[in-house]
């Protein structure tokens, strides 16, 4: 299997490896002078042996594997060096050569007795419920380690401020003055800054600069403050990235029209010009030649005295990785995600799919190796998110940004993989080594592993732009979405159609009849672009033509075309065949959607399904693609299966979650759902949660006995109800 963690016996460093062996050496039977070199971190079996004096060693994995991690390629360098030394008549002890390469001195702090956690304050667009989720996990992790927690968060509608979680909660603004007062009163010995979004980070940086942490002897746990500043400051960031031989997108700041033309010549057209210090991208745009840039620059200098010229990467793929590193330099990438929308749209505004679907193996590992190189260089401890722009026609890529904190992407990655990122990051901040933390999904394996997914996850943002007058519906580089949904399926079509219904319960799926074709809307994306795309596919636009207009990868366009083609098949049939009904369900069509296409009713389609036993299967998310037994209760429904992964013993109480955050319904209803689950637990009842919002605490798999990450619709809730036969359902 891929991604097996192997630990070096001398240094305790753990590495990801690729394997295809069904056998292991029995270490008790090793002859004299031989000893263990590597062990499997999961089942402690042998993964390599070495001779103590002679230059012999062997490993049980493929360091050079061309379809897997290359973390231990350096073993070949050791081998080649040994041959050279031996050839020149020198004496070489391979054991110490390997140990020297892996040797790392961690800078560990004293373990704190009381920790201050900064929350994210009131919700705003771009910073919502995901920080309630990450803060709650941090509190849980601290409690497990018997550390007192003090939380500052003025947001009353959050789970983390509820009774029974943190030891003390202060409902105060997250500003340096108030935080200093709390530090003065509580005297914590450590502080966590990366669990409260940008608000907490900015406040922490202020407190560090003004010397408050030093004055009260408070240690910043996890990622050092300097690393955070280095990733936030564009100039330092570019310098540090260039230092390790990687690239950020080229840009230049200019003060006149002549300078801007010179800069554009060096960077190469097309370029993006934007006025510095201007609100909402005033005076910004794309220029393909000198003439266009001249006009743009003249307009921009009317708004501002500085212009920034960037290389235009419009139409490149946007890919992101979630990376984790501990104080002992063990690094893993937990999840990689690909934006369906090309670069130019904020990742929070994009439709995102995990794992990436259109990268080659070579591209995947090229970006993975870079991510690990970057996190090591910045000295980040805990979790970080790295975003890339990748040229669709070559292997050229640029690093767009690094977030040295938990973000909305990390909440999504946690829910997509079942890997509790915030919980693990909190433990790492205390200096606990990654291999020593248990994978809470399998209960037997280590948290030092890279999840393998045997399913596809799609995230779609929710915009509530209709609630505002005169707001542009165009989406771009600044965030307007107020919430997001996540769906799980066995193929892209299934997951994508589920997600569209989750975002808006009035939509039946990838429906080509909702919008008119409008080429401008395909070029300049709006919140409803996907439905314009559906209409265009229905009208007979080719995939090549649509790629030209949208720059959405052809792989995704082909998949979307499968859905609209199937609509045609359905509507051309008077009576639906069972084969077609099954195929429709496997492509993520809902009963209502099928009924609309064949001019029938949802109840009639449901009855036809039930009569012919076309019902969904319940699958588990196990993070290890069935390589180890999983004990998880994290579930989804699919028609692309042949059996259930679990039994249905009955005696459960079902609770329905609040779904996607929107204006008028957000984190406060998640607080209600979690309160309900907790109370049921106290009463000794077993609970089932149905929700599909990745930013919530209610979709944490230890909040309920069974978590269905599914749509909250009549069809799906009834499907689950018929399988589970619960004692009752709580709706409010």
């Amino acid at each position: 299997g891929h991604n097996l963690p192997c630990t070096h016996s001398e240094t305790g460093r753990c590495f990801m490896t690729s394997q295809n062996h069904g056998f292991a050496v029995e270490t008790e039977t090793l002859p004299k002078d031989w000893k263990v070199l590597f062990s499997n971190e999961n089942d402690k079996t042998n993964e390599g042996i070495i001779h103590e004096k002679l230059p012999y060693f062997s490993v049980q994995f493929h360091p050079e594997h061309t379809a897997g991690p290359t973390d231990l390629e350096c073993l070949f360098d050791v081998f080649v060096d040994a041959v050279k030394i031996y050839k020149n008549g020198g004496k070489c002890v391979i054991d110490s050569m390997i140990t020297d390469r892996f040797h790392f001195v961690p800078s560990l702090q004293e373990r704190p007795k009381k920790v201050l956690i900064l929350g994210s304050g009131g919700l705003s667009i771009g910073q919502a419920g995901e920080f309630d989720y990450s803060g709650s996990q941090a509190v849980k992790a601290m409690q497990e380690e018997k550390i007192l927690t003090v939380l500052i968060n003025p947001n009353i509608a959050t789970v983390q401020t509820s009774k029974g979680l943190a030891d003390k909660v202060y409902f105060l603004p997250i500003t340096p003055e108030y935080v200093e007062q709390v530090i003065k009163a509580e005297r914590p010995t450590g502080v966590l800054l990366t669990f409260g979004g940008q608000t907490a980070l900015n406040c922490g940086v202020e407190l560090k600069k003004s010397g408050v942490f030093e004055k009260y002897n408070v240690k910043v746990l996890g990622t050092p403050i300097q690393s955070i500043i280095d990733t936030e400051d564009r100039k330092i960031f570019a310098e540090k990235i260039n230092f390790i031989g990687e690239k950020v997108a080229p840009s230049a700041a200019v003060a006149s029209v002549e300078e801007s033309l010179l800069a554009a010549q060096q960077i190469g057209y097309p370029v993006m010009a934007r006025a510095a210090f201007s609100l909402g991208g005033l005076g910004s745009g794309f220029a393909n030649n000198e003439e266009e840039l001249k006009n743009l620059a003249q307009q921009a200098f009317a708004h501002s005295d500085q212009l920034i010229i960037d290389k235009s990467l419009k139409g490149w793929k946007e890919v992101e990785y979630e990376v984790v590193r501990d104080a002992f330099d063990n690094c893993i990438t937990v999840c990689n995600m690909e934006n369906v929308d090309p670069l130019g749209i904020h990742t929070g505004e994009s439709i995102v799919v995990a794992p990436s679907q259109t990268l080659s193996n070579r591209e995947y590992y090229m970006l993975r190796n870079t991510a690990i190189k970057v996190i090591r260089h910045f000295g980040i401890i805990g979790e970080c998110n790295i975003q890339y722009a990748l040229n669709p026609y070559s292997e050229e890529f640029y690093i767009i940004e690094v977030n040295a904190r938990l973000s909305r992407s990390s909440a999504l990655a946690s829910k997509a993989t079942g890997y509790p990122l915030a919980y693990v990051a909190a433990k790492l901040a205390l200096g606990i080594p990654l291999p020593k933390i248990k994978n809470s999904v399998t209960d037997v394996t280590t948290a030092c592993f890279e999840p393998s997914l045997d399913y596809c996850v799609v995230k779609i943002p929710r915009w509530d732009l209709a609630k505002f007058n005169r707001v542009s519906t165009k989406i771009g580089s600044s965030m307007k979405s107020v919430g997001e949904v996540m769906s799980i399926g066995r193929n892209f079509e299934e997951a994508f159609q589920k997600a569209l219904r989750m975002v808006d319960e009035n939509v039946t799926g990838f429906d080509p009849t909702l919008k008119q074709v409008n080429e401008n809307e395909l070029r300049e994306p709006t919140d409803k672009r996907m439905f314009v795309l559906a209409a265009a596919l229905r009208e007979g636009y080719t995939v090549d033509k649509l790629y030209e207009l949208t720059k959405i990868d052809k792989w995704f366009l082909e998949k979307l075309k499968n859905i609209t083609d199937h609509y045609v098949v359905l509507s051309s049939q008077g009576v639906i065949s069972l084969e077609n009904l099954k195929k429709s369900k496997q492509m993520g069509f809902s009963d209502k959607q099928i009924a609309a296409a064949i001019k029938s009713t949802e109840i009639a389609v449901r009855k036809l399904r039930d009569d012919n036993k076309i019902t969904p299967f319940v699958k588990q998310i196990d993070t290890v693609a069935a390589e180890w037994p999983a004990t998880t209760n994290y579930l989804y429904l699919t028609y692309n299966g042949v059996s259930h992964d679990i039994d249905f013993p009955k005696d459960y109480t079902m609770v329905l979650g609040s779904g996607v955050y929107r204006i008028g319904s957000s984190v406060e209803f998640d607080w209600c759902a979690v309160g309900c689950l907790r109370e049921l637990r106290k009463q000794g009842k077993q609970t089932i949660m149905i929700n599909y919002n990745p930013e919530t605490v209610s979709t944490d798999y230890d909040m309920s006995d069974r978590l269905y990450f599914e749509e909250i619709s009549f069809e799906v809730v009834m499907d689950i109800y018929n399988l589970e036969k619960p004692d009752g359902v709580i709706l409010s």
Side-chain angles (χ1 to χ4, degrees):
H2 274 336
N3 305 339
L4 285 192
C6 291
T7 302
H8 179 236
S9 53
E10 291 295 316
T11 58
R13 295 274 305 277
C14 189
F15 301 91
M16 290 298 123
T17 64
S18 261
Q19 329 220 336
N20 62 1
H21 297 286
F23 303 96
V25 171
E26 187 60 76
T27 49
E28 280 76 55
T29 62
L30 282 175
K32 190 174 173 294
D33 293 337
W34 284 89
K35 64 175 197 175
V36 172
L37 179 60
F38 286 99
S39 302
N40 187 311
E41 191 54 52
N42 282 335
D43 60 10
K44 307 298 181 209
T45 52
N46 180 259
E47 294 283 1
I49 53 174
I50 189 163
H51 199 281
E52 291 183 20
K53 302 187 186 83
L54 299 169
Y56 304 150
F57 73 107
S58 101
V59 291
Q60 190 76 329
F61 46 81
H62 289 274
E64 85 304 347
H65 205 286
T66 49
T70 52
D71 296 3
L72 287 174
E73 264 187 343
C74 60
L75 291 177
F76 285 107
D77 300 334
V78 170
F79 173 69
V80 172
D81 291 347
V83 171
K84 285 178 182 164
I85 294 169
Y86 215 72
K87 196 177 170 190
N88 297 334
K91 188 176 184 319
C92 68
V93 181
I94 290 197
D95 196 14
S96 54
M97 284 166 74
I98 294 176
T99 302
D100 290 347
R101 267 184 189 262
F102 295 159
H103 184 63
F104 181 81
V105 181
S107 54
L108 294 172
Q109 294 167 343
E110 199 183 324
R111 194 170 188 151
K113 294 195 170 46
K114 187 193 271 189
V115 167
L116 176 69
I117 300 173
L118 300 188
S120 65
L123 301 194
S124 57
I125 289 180
Q127 189 163 293
E130 65 271 24
F131 297 110
D132 185 25
Y133 156 72
S134 57
S136 304
Q137 285 218 333
V139 172
K140 268 184 216 163
M142 293 298 140
Q143 281 177 335
E144 272 182 26
E145 298 296 327
K146 311 273 188 293
I147 291 171
L148 290 171
T149 49
V150 178
L151 174 71
I152 306 181
N153 193 355
N155 190 340
I156 53 168
T158 53
V159 176
Q160 57 179 253
T161 55
S162 309
K163 202 171 138 221
L165 217 63
D167 295 299
K168 271 197 184 169
V169 179
Y170 284 86
F171 290 97
L172 290 173
I174 294 155
T175 58
E177 305 78 55
Y178 282 106
V179 176
E180 182 174 359
Q181 285 176 20
V182 173
I183 291 174
K184 196 173 170 183
E186 288 290 340
R187 300 293 166 133
T189 42
V191 61
L192 288 171
L193 305 175
T194 51
F195 295 86
Q198 206 58 45
T199 312
L201 267 191
N202 294 348
C203 180
V205 170
E206 290 289 307
L207 288 164
K208 175 78 175 169
K209 283 181 176 164
S210 60
V212 171
F213 288 153
E214 222 169 350
K215 181 177 167 188
Y216 296 101
N217 203 10
V218 181
K219 299 272 187 294
V220 174
L221 303 175
T223 301
I225 286 247
Q226 195 50 50
S227 302
I228 292 168
I229 296 169
D230 291 349
T231 57
E232 299 273 326
D233 183 309
R234 286 276 147 225
K235 193 166 179 299
I236 303 176
F237 177 66
E239 284 167 5
K240 289 204 77 149
I241 292 290
N242 290 333
F243 181 76
I244 52 170
E246 298 297 344
K247 296 186 295 189
V248 290
S251 72
V254 294
S256 69
V257 177
E258 288 71 41
E259 277 183 34
S260 62
L261 294 176
L262 271 172
Q265 251 175 350
Q266 282 174 336
I267 290 169
Y269 289 98
V271 294
M272 178 182 165
R274 52 198 170 97
F277 317 111
S278 72
L279 196 66
L282 203 64
S284 71
F286 291 91
N288 295 311
N289 51 44
E290 282 203 5
E291 194 57 37
E292 287 179 20
L293 182 60
K294 230 180 207 162
N295 294 338
L296 253 179
Q298 278 159 351
Q299 286 168 10
F301 282 121
H303 302 296
S304 165
D305 49 9
Q306 191 187 37
L307 186 64
I308 295 167
I309 308 284
D310 290 312
K311 185 176 174 68
S312 164
L313 304 175
K314 216 176 174 181
W316 284 36
K317 290 182 193 182
E318 188 169 351
V319 183
E320 45 186 325
Y321 282 70
E322 294 294 325
V323 200
V324 168
R325 175 178 178 266
D326 68 7
F328 302 87
D329 206 31
N330 296 314
C331 290
I332 57 165
T333 54
V334 170
C335 182
N336 94 308
M337 299 175 273
E338 172 177 15
N339 291 7
V340 174
D341 300 288
L343 205 74
I345 301 174
H346 191 289
T347 184
E349 301 283 276
S350 299
I351 294 175
V352 176
V353 55
S356 58
Q357 302 292 316
T358 71
L359 298 189
S360 68
N361 178 68
R362 199 180 142 107
E363 287 169 329
Y364 175 88
Y365 281 102
M366 169 178 81
L367 298 179
R368 177 187 177 274
N369 291 341
T370 302
I372 288 175
K373 198 161 133 189
V374 168
I375 193 172
R376 282 188 168 142
H377 184 57
F378 279 101
I380 291 164
I381 294 170
E383 190 270 349
C384 107
N385 160 278
I386 179 165
Q387 291 170 9
Y388 295 105
L390 177 68
N391 188 333
Y393 303 110
S394 70
E395 288 180 353
E396 182 185 12
F397 68 90
Y398 293 111
I399 295 168
I400 306 171
E401 67 172 348
V402 170
N403 285 317
R405 60 177 171 83
L406 287 128
S407 60
R408 190 170 289 190
S409 297
S410 27
L412 175 68
S414 296
K415 300 294 161 82
T417 57
Y419 190 100
L421 274 169
Y423 167 86
V424 170
K427 294 243 171 172
L428 298 180
L430 297 173
I432 299 171
L434 193 53
K436 296 281 173 283
I437 301 171
K438 268 234 166 88
N439 168 5
S440 41
V441 171
T442 59
D443 259 353
V444 287
T445 57
T446 169
C448 189
F449 80 108
E450 300 190 354
S452 323
L453 312 190
D454 50 4
Y455 49 86
C456 172
V457 167
V458 174
K459 173 217 101 175
I460 302 184
R462 156 99 185 197
W463 295 272
D464 260 350
L465 302 178
K467 290 192 177 157
F468 301 102
N469 297 332
R470 299 200 297 277
V471 159
S472 156
T473 57
K474 281 188 179 165
I475 56 175
S477 54
S478 67
M479 227 163 130
K480 290 181 182 175
S481 62
V482 291
E484 61 186 32
V485 305
M486 182 187 108
S487 70
I488 308 169
R490 279 287 168 107
N491 58 33
F492 177 73
E493 294 93 330
E494 181 177 39
F496 180 69
Q497 294 221 83
K498 269 188 186 181
L500 286 174
R501 290 192 289 272
M502 291 170 174
V503 172
D504 185 349
E505 55 272 17
N506 301 320
V507 168
T508 57
F510 190 56
D511 188 344
T513 59
L514 290 177
K515 299 286 279 182
Q516 298 297 311
V517 179
N518 173 347
E519 290 200 2
N520 281 341
E521 210 166 325
L522 290 172
R523 261 191 219 99
E524 302 278 327
T526 65
D527 56 338
K528 297 275 187 276
R529 167 158 88 165
M530 277 300 153
F531 299 112
V532 180
L533 193 59
L537 283 164
R538 184 74 175 266
E539 295 274 303
Y541 275 65
T542 64
V543 165
D544 289 341
K545 173 74 176 156
L546 287 170
Y547 175 70
E548 219 173 283
L549 290 167
T550 62
K551 289 286 185 275
I552 292 174
D553 193 281
K554 288 179 187 173
W555 187 89
F556 293 116
L557 293 172
E558 289 285 357
K559 294 286 177 190
L560 298 176
K561 188 171 179 299
N562 291 347
I563 300 174
T564 51
D565 288 354
H566 196 68
Y567 258 108
V568 177
V569 172
L570 285 178
S571 50
S572 64
Q573 286 190 331
V575 179
I576 188 167
S577 69
L578 292 179
E579 188 188 336
N580 244 332
L581 178 59
K582 192 169 182 194
K583 190 177 174 199
S584 306
K585 297 309 286 180
Q586 287 174 336
M587 288 175 76
F589 280 73
S590 68
D591 290 351
K592 206 185 229 171
Q593 197 178 358
I594 296 167
I598 63 169
K599 307 210 171 11
S600 175
T601 64
E602 180 179 3
I603 300 296
V605 173
R606 184 176 184 89
K607 188 170 182 327
L608 182 66
R609 257 196 324 109
D610 283 345
D611 291 348
N612 292 285
K613 304 227 172 347
I614 299 174
T615 51
F617 293 101
V618 176
K619 291 287 173 196
Q620 265 178 328
I621 285 187
D622 66 355
T623 72
V624 285
E627 206 166 324
W628 299 92
T631 54
T632 173
N633 52 0
Y634 189 0
L635 313 164
Y636 65 98
L637 300 183
T638 180
Y639 285 85
N640 294 289
V642 288
S643 63
H644 295 299
D645 284 357
I646 53 167
D647 300 321
F648 304 104
K650 302 183 183 162
D651 292 339
Y652 282 92
T653 305
M654 191 191 273
V655 180
L656 301 190
S658 60
V660 65
Y661 288 163
R662 61 198 89 185
I663 290 175
S665 158
S666 92
V667 68
E668 63 278 8
F669 290 105
D670 193 51
W671 176 84
C672 299
V674 171
C676 176
L677 290 171
R678 283 200 178 139
E679 193 48 46
L680 286 167
R681 263 202 180 160
K682 267 190 206 154
Q683 307 283 342
K685 300 257 191 284
Q686 289 196 299
T687 53
I688 293 173
M689 180 77 207
I690 307 179
N691 201 357
Y692 52 79
N693 186 337
E695 304 172 32
T696 57
V697 180
S698 62
T699 51
D700 231 355
Y701 49 80
D702 56 358
M703 291 314 301
S704 55
D705 296 296
R706 285 195 169 175
L707 165 66
Y708 281 90
F709 220 100
E710 271 302 332
E711 297 170 59
I712 300 173
S713 65
F714 169 74
E715 177 189 334
V716 176
V717 174
M718 281 309 294
D719 284 339
I720 297 171
Y721 185 89
N722 290 340
L723 287 166
E724 291 280 3
K725 302 200 170 40
D727 295 344
V729 182
I730 298 177
L731 304 174
S732 56

